[in-house]
């Protein structure tokens, strides 16, 4: 059984939500990020804030499926052959390569919009959880959260 520890962080209305740290690698880009685990989201995506942290060329990446999130419009720009590395409970690594995921690119890019969307985190969505056969254990009152698969 594989367990990936998550941490709980105050997010919306100061409530605790599960976040998981990971290392991402694709093309010539890599970095250490964290994502909200959102079982209500159909998409696993990198946030605009994380795209800027990784120095992705977001002004050139203005294509992809249009989606709405938190009152904003984005292109869900596809990236391919993405390797995600998690730290397991035993401190060993679990490396997963996904053929495709998205990057949230605002449909309008200017300083105001980039400032307004910076609170939106990267998201591990239901697509990733289903494809990789992960279950989320989440107990906010016990301050415990982890991903698990057999």
């Amino acid at each position: 059984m594989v367990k990936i520890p998550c941490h709980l962080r105050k997010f919306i209305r100061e409530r605790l939500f599960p976040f998981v740290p990971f290392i991402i690698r694709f093309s010539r880009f890599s970095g250490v990020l964290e994502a909200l685990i959102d079982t209500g989201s159909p998409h696993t995506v990198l946030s605009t804030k994380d795209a800027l942290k990784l120095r992705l060329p977001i002004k050139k990446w203005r294509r992809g499926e249009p989606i709405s999130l938190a009152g904003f419009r984005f292109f869900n720009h596809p990236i391919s052959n993405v390797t995600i590395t998690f730290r397991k409970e035993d401190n060993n690594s679990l490396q997963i390569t996904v053929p495709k995921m998205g990057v949230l690119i605002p449909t309008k890019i200017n300083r105001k919009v980039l400032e307004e969307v910076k609170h939106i985190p990267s998201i591990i969505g239901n697509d990733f959880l289903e494809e990789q056969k992960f279950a989320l254990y989440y107990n906010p009152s016990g301050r415990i959260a982890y991903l698990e698969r057999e």
Side-chain angles (χ1 to χ4, degrees):
M1 177 145 345
V2 174
K3 268 191 187 179
I4 299 170
C6 302
H7 61 274
L8 300 181
R9 189 176 88 185
K10 288 185 179 181
F11 184 48
I12 300 170
R13 295 188 186 109
E14 295 298 302
R15 305 290 302 248
L16 294 173
F17 285 84
F19 283 80
V20 62
F22 63 97
I23 298 169
I24 189 166
R25 285 186 200 89
F26 64 96
S27 185
R28 64 184 188 278
F29 304 101
S30 66
V32 178
L33 305 174
E34 72 171 13
L36 169 68
I37 301 169
D38 185 353
T39 60
S41 173
H43 304 287
T44 295
V45 292
L46 289 182
S47 69
T48 305
K49 179 181 173 183
D50 286 342
L52 292 170
K53 180 180 176 179
L54 295 173
R55 299 178 184 253
L56 303 182
I58 67 169
K59 288 185 179 179
K60 294 180 182 177
W61 287 6
R62 303 192 36 95
R63 62 183 172 84
E65 172 191 6
I67 61 173
S68 293
L69 180 66
F72 296 95
R73 300 279 301 151
F74 296 92
F75 294 111
N76 187 5
H77 180 84
I79 55 176
S80 302
N81 299 316
V82 180
T83 300
I84 299 171
T85 305
F86 297 103
R87 182 185 55 82
K88 299 187 301 185
E89 185 178 52
D90 63 7
N91 280 325
N92 288 318
S93 296
L94 174 65
Q95 191 169 301
I96 297 171
T97 300
V98 293
K100 187 178 114 181
M101 66 184 289
V103 179
L104 293 176
I105 308 294
T107 55
K108 294 178 185 176
I109 297 179
N110 58 47
R111 282 190 183 132
K112 182 178 184 257
V113 170
L114 292 176
E115 183 65 26
E116 290 173 343
V117 301
K118 75 177 186 182
H119 73 282
I120 299 172
S122 292
I123 297 171
I124 300 286
N126 217 25
D127 56 345
F128 181 87
L129 298 175
E130 284 183 19
E131 289 165 13
Q132 300 300 323
K133 299 180 178 14
F134 277 108
L136 170 63
Y137 177 82
Y138 173 52
N139 178 347
S141 62
R143 295 187 173 261
I144 299 169
Y146 55 85
L147 292 172
E148 180 178 72
R149 79 172 177 194
E150 293 186 22

